[in-house]
Amino acid sequence: MSNVTVEQLADVVGAPVERLLEQLKEAGIEANDAGTLISDEDKLKLLDFLRTTHGKQEESKSEGKQRITLKRKSVSELKLGGAGRAKTVNVEVRKKRTYVKRSEAGSTEKDELDRLMAEKAARDEGRKQAEEEARRKAEEAAVAQAEAEAKAKAEAEAKAEAEAQAELEKSEAEAKAQAEKQALLEADGAGKTKEGRKKVKKPHEEESDRAKRSKQDRDEDKAETRYGRKELHVATGKSGQRKKKSGKRETSADSTGKHGFEKPVVPIVHDIGVPENIKVSDLAQKMSMKSAELIKIMMKMGVMATINQIIDQDTAILVVEEAGHKAHPVSDDDRERNLLETAQQELGEPVARPPVVTIMGHVDHGKTSLLDYIRASKVASGEAGGITQHIGAYHVETPRGVISFLDTPGHAAFTAMRARGAQSTDIVILVVAADDGVMPQTIEAVQHSKAAGVPIIVAVNKIDKEDADPDRVKTELGNHEVIPEEWGGENIFINVSAKTGEGIDDLLDAISLQAEVMELTAPATGPAKGIVVEASLDKGRGVMTTVLVQEGKLNKGDILLAGQEYGRVRAMFDESGNQISEAGPSIPVLVLGLSNTPSAGDQIQVLPDERTARELAISRQEKDRNARLATQQQAKLDSMFANMGKAEVNVLNILLKADVQGSLEAIRDALTKLAAENEEVDVSIIGSGVGGINETDVTLAAASNAIILGFNVRADASARKAVSERGVDLHYYSVIYDLIDEVKRALTGMLAPEFREQIIGLAEVKDVFKSPKFGLVAGSLVTEGVVKRNQPIRVLRDNVVIYEGELESLRRFKDDVDEVKSGTECGIAVKNYNDVKAGDQIEVFERVQVERTL
């Protein structure tokens, strides 16, 4: 055999050209590309290499021959047409051929290659025949499959038709039986004759009629559409997109006229969970009834409510029971209680903690000055007017340990702040000035302390003054059940001076002694729990909240829930402004990061994640909103009936902005008390908040005809411009009693004027004579005061008023005069009155406007 190229050899042996080139290279034969010529020696060399490498040499013991097995696979596509659509079939042909090499003595390599070429030609011919055979078999299989599908479809349609017919016959039989039973009952009840009863068809006659109708229906249903399918059955009065055939039988409703469902015989009773406040529509939805039906039930019970009105839990329970359902109260605090109990379980073991001391007393008795000496700083000088208007929280390092102090205001308006201070403290220091004695706020502080069950240490301040009288303080406090120890009581009295520092060490010793006796402990690890002391809004830093940690440890980055607000603790500062990363029990800190300013006195709690904190905050806000709405609705209804028949009330609308939450609360309470002092005027706080005055506040005040009061805050540039454009009344205050006095004066000016009658003169009628010009003229003698011509008069007879009017003429002899003094005679003509007699008295009076105050 002559030399062949690599490409021709690859085609003969059925191997890729690239693979053959690699094998030639491995066998040591030079072949660069597919066109390289391969000699017979190279072929033998390649064959020996392949035998040695792959180990596929196999001795045949019976024939003594070597064999080579070749496997080939070919895939072709056949396109078949049948049942109105083309179809493509993939045909795969797999071949396996074994070539037996003749012995070296009887054949040569040339003969071997010739044989391979001949077999290749035979293989091609066989492949063509196999493809033809596969195409023929695929066509036969496709035809057979189409016939099988058509047959299966026909069988399925026949089976469905038979089932439908059986169902129809069954329903007709049941309906017929029911009709027969009903007809027999009616015939027996009406006393029909025997001949009338014989007209009822027998069962075998009914079966025959039913079979005839069924055959007719099947004949009608056999009409096929142009697509070879039966017409679809649709409901009566319904149709598809195609026009229905005229021969189609329409189905009709059940001849008995009954629905497919029946009304339940036994009423369904629901178990309704009723929250503390619920909307009428929500309650109706819980009971699966219409809101209108529920409102009818409530009207029968005497409760007038609309669909969106909120009712309380007790009313809702009564309504549910009246509707025939079971009700049980559900508390909105269940989940919150569980979460707080879980946080309580995570707290560590209790350890000793510093005491929390609250300084209370009357205004200007030296509370802040006393704390100022202890802290060695100047706090009182920074307060407006020299009085404390916020709760100050500090912790002080003393030689006797750490002590946390809360400084409360002494002004009468800060009652709530003093009560809050007493509730969040361990020991109360009651500061009383030795020269001033017990005052109203001193008594109030004692009451708050006793109500909270907190021990009281009395600090008698200002003993350095000449008129100081500590014994007077002991006597006056003894009248309010604050008894000194030397008198057999339980309260420690210490004489101090915030100016000179006298007695301060004794006071600190007393605090430490009292704390040791109380054995104060709290967990120092775990989720922090505490109370909001104060909250404010800073334009640069946002919401700033002063909190007192009571249990656990508060860390930077914790998720904090404070009342209705939540947030992540972004930063913490101590009272000196130094940033800290953690705070333990009894330590006050300033926290940044809450969503809004919480109310002073709110409880704080660290929660595991922000989602839980947000859900609890929203739940608290919704609960508070529902409670306020329910209270407002009841208040409006009560006030509507209470104000019937009363004069119109003048209302002063106020928009209030303050620097901290505690001051806002105190001012709001003080203004409410002012309005309660008089029924003719009222104060309506249309809006309040913590932070500066902005343009939105001015717009709200202008729309509500309100005045804006700013306490320790100012308006920004846009707000000031809006104030000048809209003419809104804006006032700034830094001392709380100045603000209260100003509002009091405004309310006083709104009071209706009050006039009082004052008698200025009295004249006695001596004689009566006629005048052609004035009619009867009374000759009188002025006995008291002055008789004035332009003032109203009364005519008295036997000290009884018989006429009230005015003078027409007042003369002295023949001269007209404006007034006549006591002891002088005069002539008096009363206008439109001619029944004056001798002995009557003419009383002259004037109406004087009296200034009113609240």
Side-chain angles (χ1 to χ4, degrees), residues 124-409:
D124 293 340
E125 184 65 25
R127 185 179 61 188
K128 291 180 180 179
Q129 293 178 359
E131 290 177 354
E132 291 293 335
E133 183 67 20
R135 184 183 293 108
R136 182 181 61 79
K137 289 182 178 181
E139 290 176 353
E140 292 176 355
V143 172
Q145 183 179 0
E147 291 177 353
E149 290 178 352
K151 183 177 180 180
K153 183 178 180 181
E155 290 176 355
E157 290 178 352
K159 183 178 180 180
E161 184 178 0
E163 291 176 352
Q165 183 62 32
E167 186 68 24
L168 180 62
E169 289 177 358
K170 181 179 179 181
S171 61
E172 287 179 353
E174 292 175 354
K176 194 65 177 179
Q178 184 70 20
E180 287 177 1
K181 183 177 180 180
Q182 186 67 23
L184 288 174
L185 291 175
E186 291 176 356
D188 292 340
K192 288 188 177 181
T193 60
K194 184 177 181 181
E195 289 78 5
R197 289 196 298 271
K198 285 183 179 180
K199 292 181 181 179
V200 180
K201 289 188 177 182
K202 296 180 179 179
H204 69 274
E205 294 176 349
E206 295 171 358
E207 186 67 27
S208 176
D209 293 343
R210 189 163 56 250
K212 290 179 181 179
R213 287 197 303 271
S214 299
K215 184 176 183 304
Q216 183 179 359
D217 294 341
R218 286 196 301 272
D219 293 341
E220 292 177 355
D221 288 341
K222 284 181 180 179
E224 294 184 353
T225 64
R226 57 180 175 177
Y227 299 103
R229 296 189 296 271
K230 298 292 184 180
E231 186 72 4
L232 295 175
H233 292 275
V234 294
T236 305
K238 304 289 184 180
S239 61
Q241 295 180 354
R242 296 189 301 274
K243 186 177 179 181
K244 204 186 303 181
K245 294 189 177 182
S246 59
K248 177 72 178 69
R249 180 176 64 86
E250 295 184 356
T251 60
S252 59
D254 189 0
S255 59
T256 60
K258 291 187 177 181
H259 292 290
F261 59 91
E262 295 181 358
K263 184 178 179 180
V265 178
V266 181
I268 300 176
V269 179
H270 297 283
D271 191 7
I272 309 298
V274 182
E276 296 177 2
N277 293 289
I278 188 171
K279 196 182 294 184
V280 173
S281 58
D282 296 340
L283 184 61
Q285 185 177 7
K286 283 177 173 288
M287 293 189 291
S288 300
M289 64 187 303
K290 294 182 179 179
S291 300
E293 296 294 330
L294 181 59
I295 292 175
K296 287 182 182 178
I297 295 175
M298 296 176 66
M299 291 177 67
K300 291 179 181 178
M301 296 174 62
V303 180
M304 303 296 293
T306 61
I307 188 173
N308 292 321
Q309 188 166 335
I310 297 173
I311 58 178
D312 56 47
Q313 190 178 63
D314 296 336
T315 305
I317 290 176
L318 293 176
V319 171
V320 171
E321 292 175 350
E322 182 69 19
H325 300 283
K326 295 180 180 179
H328 63 275
V330 176
S331 176
D332 297 335
D333 301 331
D334 291 342
R335 183 188 177 197
E336 182 175 343
R337 192 179 302 109
N338 294 335
L339 285 173
L340 297 182
E341 289 177 357
T342 303
Q344 190 75 19
Q345 295 173 359
E346 296 177 0
L347 292 173
E349 293 296 327
V351 296
R353 65 172 178 85
V356 178
V357 180
T358 298
I359 300 181
M360 304 177 71
H362 191 71
V363 62
D364 200 28
H365 273 204
K367 299 179 298 299
T368 307
S369 299
L370 184 64
L371 180 61
D372 172 51
Y373 190 90
I374 296 173
R375 296 177 61 229
S377 62
K378 296 293 182 182
V379 177
S381 59
E383 293 283 356
I387 66 170
T388 300
Q389 303 180 112
H390 314 109
I391 287 186
Y394 320 94
H395 78 278
V396 180
E397 295 281 351
T398 68
R400 298 157 186 83
V402 178
I403 302 177
S404 294
F405 286 96
L406 299 180
D407 184 16
T408 63

Side-chain angles (χ1 to χ4, degrees), residues 661-851:
Q661 192 74 32
S663 298
L664 184 69
E665 178 185 355
I667 296 171
R668 196 163 46 216
D669 293 343
L671 296 182
T672 304
K673 290 179 181 178
L674 274 181
E677 295 178 2
N678 196 295
E679 296 181 353
E680 297 181 23
V681 292
D682 192 11
V683 174
S684 175
I685 300 178
I686 62 170
S688 61
V690 175
I693 302 170
N694 52 38
E695 189 176 0
T696 305
D697 298 329
V698 178
T699 304
L700 177 59
S704 306
N705 193 23
I707 62 174
I708 302 176
L709 304 182
F711 183 76
N712 284 336
V713 293
R714 295 294 181 266
D716 56 20
S718 59
R720 290 195 297 270
K721 181 179 179 182
V723 166
S724 61
E725 291 177 353
R726 295 175 176 266
V728 178
D729 201 4
L730 173 62
H731 300 274
Y732 295 134
Y733 301 94
S734 57
V735 180
I736 188 169
Y737 50 73
D738 291 343
L739 184 150
I740 295 173
D741 292 342
E742 190 73 23
V743 175
K744 191 173 183 178
R745 283 193 292 269
L747 291 176
T748 301
M750 296 172 61
L751 292 173
E754 181 179 348
F755 294 93
R756 186 175 298 170
E757 294 181 355
Q758 185 175 356
I759 299 174
I760 61 174
L762 185 65
E764 183 179 352
V765 179
K766 297 296 184 180
D767 196 4
V768 180
F769 54 89
K770 292 184 179 180
S771 169
K773 184 176 180 181
F774 301 108
L776 291 179
V777 176
S780 307
L781 175 65
V782 179
T783 58
E784 295 179 12
V786 179
V787 176
K788 294 184 178 181
R789 182 175 185 177
N790 54 356
Q791 297 295 336
I793 66 164
R794 292 190 185 95
V795 179
L796 286 75
R797 184 173 297 166
D798 297 330
N799 292 324
V800 178
V801 178
I802 61 174
Y803 179 76
E804 183 174 344
E806 60 182 3
L807 293 180
E808 186 175 15
S809 174
L810 177 64
R811 289 193 175 191
R812 170 80 172 139
F813 298 108
K814 293 184 179 181
D815 299 327
D816 289 331
V817 293
D818 292 331
E819 64 178 34
V820 178
K821 296 182 179 180
S822 175
T824 307
E825 294 180 347
C826 62
I828 300 175
V830 181
K831 190 175 183 180
N832 297 329
Y833 185 71
N834 293 319
D835 192 24
V836 180
K837 295 181 180 180
D840 291 348
Q841 291 179 325
I842 298 176
E843 181 183 79
V844 182
F845 63 93
E846 63 180 357
R847 291 185 175 91
V848 180
Q849 182 175 347
V850 181
E851 184 180 355

